[in-house]
Amino acid sequence: MILPTPEQKAQWEEEGYLVFENAIQGEDLKRLQNAFDYWADACKEEWLDRVEAGESVATFYDIPSPLEKDPIFIDIIDYPSYYGALMEFTDHDLILLGPQVRTVAPWPVSYTGWHPDVGQSNPLHIKVQIYVNDVEPGSGEFGFVPGSHKPGSGPYTRPMRQESMTGHKTFPGKAGTAIMFNSCGWHVSMDNHSDTPRKSIILIYEKRTPGRIGPEQYASISAYCQTPERRKLFSLDG
Amino acid sequence: MPRIDAHLHVFTKASAEFPREISDVWPAEREESVEKLLGEMEKHQIDQAVLVQMAGASIENHRYLLQCLKAYPNRFLGIGLVPEGHPNPADHMAKLTDNTGIIGFRFSTFGGPRDIFAKMDVREFAAYPIWECAAERDYVLWLYPNAINAHLLPYLIQEFPQVRIVLNHLAVCPGAGKFSWDEFGRPQVQVTGYNLFMHTTYRLARFENVNVHLSGQYAFSKEEFPYKDLAGWHHGLLSGFGAKRLMWATDFPWILEEPGYGKLTTVIEELLPNLSEAELADIMGGNAKRILRFPDL
């Protein structure tokens, strides 16, 4: 486990995000890309049928139950390059809420506007977004307003155009880049005007509160969670 | 400021004079006349309305609508239909808009790729000639897109930024097989608890020519009037589009029995209680007057 440096800790506190370049690389990145592409392709038609039936969003899709589909999707949950920071920031009391293995289509407008996910009263809620392909500027890169996670910051209002958000920063990056952010902060997916879908994985974590996730949630992958740390992370023992 | 019901339907008994399609819900002998509508409007201080064609898209099917518009030129504007696959939609639309009071047309499909990941060439969309014609002749496009068509909209809107767009019924895009009729003879559209439209049609707020109806609540809500479970949807639309691009409507006659026309004239105050007086007046008619160019009374 790689713990965050004092500089990283200070940035996390002040700005509410950290970028881990090459967080996943080499064979692991290839495994991740192959599994992503295989399952995204396998699930696409069913997703389109669900869009037609009005049961799924038309502008992006997530691979359903990814943890059951390939062990690489489990391995990235506690991947060493960012897991230490997650543990440190949650006082070593971290749970996984869920993964979103997401393909976002190029579209004239981003599929979402600027928003925070949770309010200040929520237990510390952290997301890690991992780029599975290279994400160039203008191709759906992550955007964040540094400092917007802090109590008393703002007020922020959602602008009509993503690029008009006051004080925002955008995060293009190479495949394997991981961006960790405090979900109280205002964030977005920028417009994707390229011809390339944005492939990324959004891992959602929270500081543990009793009963937040039941042991049945991840029971199907219990065999992959033999260590006490993993069992705790996946709330397998209640 | 006038109070304008921005989307409703009237029809008369099917006859040689007024041919129309029939169904279990609108059998040949059923009549929901413009006089009945005017009675409700009078009773609830509604000044003007948009009459939307139903029960057939041929020129002949529009006869009753055209008669109503002719009889009450200051009270009503009309929205027509174009038969699917019409070989010359421009000609059809021109015939219906020649000084008749019909200002635009209603559609739910655009004829582009089903898959949002496909290469999009808007000129290849089947609906392109209709949009082109709307741009040239200043027609309003009245849209109730099927779910599988929603992703095509911004390509057309980008191509034709001058066309006035009105997304019907809370910008919902009904899914295939999710439509039915309830015991009060009202359309019902089964929607997911999670609001999918905030990732599609709500995102069109960026385009200044796109407006939205606050209507059809009865069809999507899982509650009775005032449909409080849809308050969040109304707030989402207000925050995205602003009070100047929203229009109240009742969808008469489907709502006559339940909850009744009168109650629906208060639905906006119920669901958006923090609107200022001016904002409420805009939504209840000011916007429809400005955007659709209703005549002064």
Side-chain angles (χ1 to χ4, degrees), chain A residues 1-23:
Chain A
M1 189 188 299
I2 304 164
L3 293 174
T5 64
E7 291 75 22
Q8 285 177 314
K9 284 201 244 184
Q11 184 183 329
W12 177 255
E13 290 303 321
E14 282 306 305
E15 302 197 46
Y17 74 92
L18 288 174
V19 178
F20 301 87
E21 289 176 4
N22 301 310

Side-chain angles (χ1 to χ4, degrees), chain A residues 171-222:
Chain A
F171 299 85
K174 294 285 177 198
T177 300
I179 304 153
M180 178 183 298
F181 63 99
N182 183 324
S183 318
C184 274
W186 283 67
H187 59 279
V188 85
S189 167
M190 301 299 285
D191 293 348
N192 184 353
H193 297 300
S194 75
D195 295 329
T196 309
R198 190 202 74 192
K199 302 175 192 173
S200 76
I201 298 171
I202 301 160
L203 305 175
I204 310 168
Y205 304 89
E206 205 169 81
K207 185 173 168 62
R208 174 185 306 276
T209 44
R212 180 75 165 92
I213 298 288
E216 71 289 346
Q217 176 86 25
Y218 298 113
S220 61
I221 58 159
S222 185

Side-chain angles (χ1 to χ4, degrees), chain B residues 40-178:
Chain B
E40 292 288 343
M41 289 170 63
E42 189 75 20
K43 194 167 153 191
H44 301 288
Q45 295 86 49
I46 302 302
D47 304 296
Q48 291 166 306
V50 179
L51 310 182
V52 180
Q53 171 64 14
M54 54 162 282
S58 71
I59 299 283
E60 293 72 28
N61 291 150
H62 285 77
R63 279 186 199 153
Y64 184 64
L65 171 65
L66 292 169
Q67 176 177 285
C68 297
L69 296 171
K70 193 173 174 187
Y72 303 100
N74 290 329
R75 303 297 296 274
F76 302 120
L77 293 175
I79 295 293
L81 297 175
V82 179
E84 205 161 327
H86 193 291
N88 191 348
D91 182 53
H92 175 91
M93 293 192 285
K95 281 181 182 154
L96 284 172
T97 51
D98 185 15
N99 230 1
T100 60
I102 290 183
I103 57 165
F105 294 87
R106 191 181 197 201
F107 299 95
S108 56
T109 63
F110 310 116
R114 175 177 186 263
D115 181 358
I116 192 174
F117 291 94
K119 186 170 168 46
M120 296 289 169
D121 180 353
V122 73
R123 289 173 182 269
E124 297 293 320
F125 292 10
Y128 186 87
I130 290 170
W131 285 65
E132 195 175 31
C133 183
E136 282 169 9
R137 299 182 188 168
D138 200 21
Y139 298 150
V140 181
L141 293 185
W142 215 250
L143 305 178
Y144 195 27
N146 296 335
I148 198 65
N149 276 265
H151 65 282
L152 302 172
L153 262 175
Y155 296 100
L156 287 158
I157 294 169
Q158 276 190 150
E159 186 81 0
F160 299 108
Q162 69 274 51
V163 174
R164 290 168 289 159
I165 309 292
V166 181
L167 298 175
N168 300 171
H169 304 327
L170 303 174
V172 167
C173 306
K178 297 295 191 291

Side-chain angles (χ1 to χ4, degrees), chain A residues 64-143:
Chain A
S65 308
L67 303 182
E68 297 168 19
K69 290 192 163 57
D70 194 299
I72 186 65
F73 294 128
I74 300 172
D75 292 341
I76 60 170
I77 304 294
D78 52 3
Y79 207 73
S81 50
Y82 45 81
Y83 186 57
L86 285 166
M87 291 297 277
E88 179 82 4
F89 299 149
T90 55
D91 304 322
H92 294 260
D93 207 8
L94 179 73
I95 55 169
L96 176 74
L97 296 188
Q100 295 168 331
V101 182
R102 178 162 295 179
T103 308
V104 179
W107 206 48
V109 193
S110 171
Y111 73 94
T112 189
W114 285 96
H115 64 283
D117 289 325
V118 296
Q120 293 290 345
S121 60
N122 200 82
L124 179 58
H125 190 278
I126 302 175
K127 283 184 170 176
V128 176
Q129 179 157 11
I130 301 160
Y131 291 154
V132 177
N133 58 346
D134 292 349
V135 180
E136 305 291 337
S139 58
E141 71 274 27
F142 177 70

